Amino acid sequence: MDIRAVFAQVPLFSGLSAEALNAFAANAKVLEVRSGDVLLRAGDAATAAYVVAAGRLRAVLPDETIAADIGKFELLGEIAVFAGEPRGANVYAVRDSIVLGITRKDLLKLVKAYPLALIAITRGIIQRLRRDQHSLVLESARTARTFAVIPAAGDIDAHVFAEALCAALARHDSVKLVDDVFIDGILGAGAAQCPFIENEANARLMTVLGE
């Protein structure tokens, strides 16, 4: 395997000099990871970072949540290496894979000698964190329990739409329409039209809405 050619094809390293690529290649060790085999275990010391030369691996958190799939020419394990912390996830091969490993000691020497490499790796970490944050937002939206129906124009009957939406959602799960009738039934006639005040009545409403 042409190790230098692999590093040259890593998108994050596209701006590195030939000298830097040669240095990374000289310090890399080729590892074969068979499908199903574990490369990294959560809780272990972060002794190396890796570049996927071929195949695909998957990072799984201790609670069995899939954190990410890592494909060809992507980095993995670098965050724990730089943080000096134990591995946060188990990483195993989804199919037969080849990775290039660089020990923590060598990687720290390389980024000190070639600062652009540190900038490139940091950029990759930031991009990954942004993707993770976006995924969390999407997951939060998928598991939302409360929706507010607000008309975009004055001629739209929000209550009619809300009733239709509830009817459609009720075919899949339990649904409760919280409208003026519902609020007045809990807090008394006219309560839905009153301003929000931190009192016992509104505390009761918040409890009901959170159920």
Side-chain angles (χ1 to χ4, degrees):
M1 171 177 286
D2 188 339
I3 297 177
R4 186 193 181 284
V6 173
F7 279 103
Q9 293 181 76
V10 174
L12 290 176
F13 291 164
S14 61
L16 298 189
S17 65
E19 179 183 346
L21 292 173
N22 289 337
F24 271 83
N27 285 276
K29 179 181 179 181
V30 179
L31 299 173
E32 293 186 4
V33 189
R34 297 297 182 186
S35 178
D37 285 354
V38 176
L39 175 64
L40 307 176
R41 293 187 184 278
D44 285 356
T47 58
Y50 303 87
V51 169
V52 180
R56 179 170 293 274
L57 296 97
R58 177 166 292 166
V60 181
L61 300 178
D63 65 1
E64 298 187 357
T65 299
I66 297 176
D69 282 349
I70 306 102
K72 192 174 183 181
F73 303 138
E74 289 188 281
L75 276 64
L76 66 97
E78 76 282 5
I79 294 179
V81 165
F82 285 126
E85 298 176 348
R87 302 292 187 189
N90 299 306
V91 178
Y92 68 92
V94 177
R95 58 175 182 265
D96 290 350
S97 303
I98 299 174
V99 299
L100 306 179
I102 298 181
T103 66
R104 182 175 187 272
K105 179 180 178 181
D106 288 338
L107 182 58
L108 294 179
K109 287 181 178 179
L110 287 167
V111 296
K112 183 177 180 180
Y114 304 100
L116 284 179
L118 178 58
I119 293 174
I121 294 172
T122 303
R123 184 183 299 117
I125 292 173
I126 293 172
Q127 291 172 351
R128 185 180 307 162
L129 291 174
R130 284 176 175 170
R131 287 198 302 268
D132 292 345
Q133 185 180 38
H134 181 64
S135 297
L136 287 173
V137 171
L138 290 177
E139 183 61 25
S140 176
R142 294 189 185 103
T143 57
R145 298 176 60 189
T146 305
F147 300 90
V149 177
I150 302 173
D155 59 345
I156 296 176
D157 191 328
H159 195 272
V160 171
F161 177 84
E163 288 180 328
L165 178 61
C166 282
L169 293 176
R171 293 196 291 268
H172 306 282
D173 205 342
S174 60
V175 182
K176 182 183 296 181
L177 176 61
V178 180
D179 56 6
D180 55 343
V181 175
F182 177 85
I183 293 175
D184 287 352
I186 295 176
L187 305 181
Q193 306 303 321
C194 294
F196 181 87
I197 302 174
E198 292 186 4
N199 57 21
E200 183 179 347
N202 276 307
R204 183 183 174 194
L205 177 61
M206 294 301 102
T207 300
V208 172
L209 293 178
E211 293 176 348

